[in-house]
Amino acid sequence: MTEKPDFVKENGLIPVIVQEAASRRVLMLAYMNETAWNKTLETGLAHYWSRSRKTLWLKGESSGHVQKVREMYVDCDADTLLIVVEQSGAACHEGYASCFFRRFENGAFQLAEERVCDPKEVYKA
């Protein structure tokens, strides 16, 4: 068995599917490097690598909407993670419980849920 994911295959980054513990609903997809993996293990809170900002980030660092890790799974190739979390507040930076808040219907994406918080209030500069 492997002790950690294989960070070598994809230039040091692996995709992470994030699920809410109680409902098993998919909340988001993020990426993790080995540093994020180690910080997650160390703290019990989900840490990711921001591809756009090129930096490590603690989920909820600015919003307070942290993800407490409850379970972690690795796929058969050890290059994708599934993390089951206890989410506080919104997982999506647009204020929705999940980043998957739009459903494809009648040829277009439509809102499928209401916001749980106002992002302008959560992400004050």
Side-chain angles (χ1 to χ4, degrees):
M1 297 307 269
T2 183
E3 291 186 20
K4 67 179 181 179
D6 185 349
F7 292 100
V8 176
K9 289 182 189 173
E10 297 298 323
N11 298 317
L13 289 181
I14 61 168
V16 181
I17 302 161
V18 184
Q19 245 182 352
E20 204 278 320
S23 68
R24 294 299 205 205
R25 179 177 185 199
V26 174
L27 298 176
M28 57 185 272
L29 171 73
Y31 290 85
M32 210 179 252
N33 63 8
E34 196 163 358
T35 303
W37 165 257
N38 289 331
K39 287 295 280 183
T40 298
L41 292 180
E42 176 187 322
T43 65
L45 299 174
H47 287 73
Y48 303 105
W49 178 258
S50 171
R51 296 177 302 159
S52 59
R53 293 175 296 184
K54 305 217 182 310
T55 187
L56 180 72
W57 60 285
L58 164 66
K59 177 65 177 163
E61 191 168 25
S62 58
S63 68
H65 298 170
V66 297
Q67 295 176 339
K68 294 179 184 174
V69 176
R70 295 296 173 234
E71 302 172 54
M72 291 196 287
Y73 300 86
V74 68
D75 75 339
C76 56
D77 295 322
D79 60 4
T80 301
L81 285 173
L82 169 63
I83 297 182
V84 180
V85 302
E86 192 176 293
Q87 175 72 50
S88 67
C92 178
H93 74 282
E94 292 190 29
Y96 294 90
S98 167
C99 292
F100 300 97
F101 59 89
R102 294 173 286 215
R103 178 177 38 236
F104 193 74
E105 294 179 316
N106 302 319
F109 285 101
Q110 309 290 330
L111 282 178
E113 64 183 67
E114 299 292 323
R115 278 194 166 105
V116 296
C117 67
D118 181 350
K120 291 177 199 143
E121 293 298 316
V122 173
Y123 298 103
K124 292 180 180 180

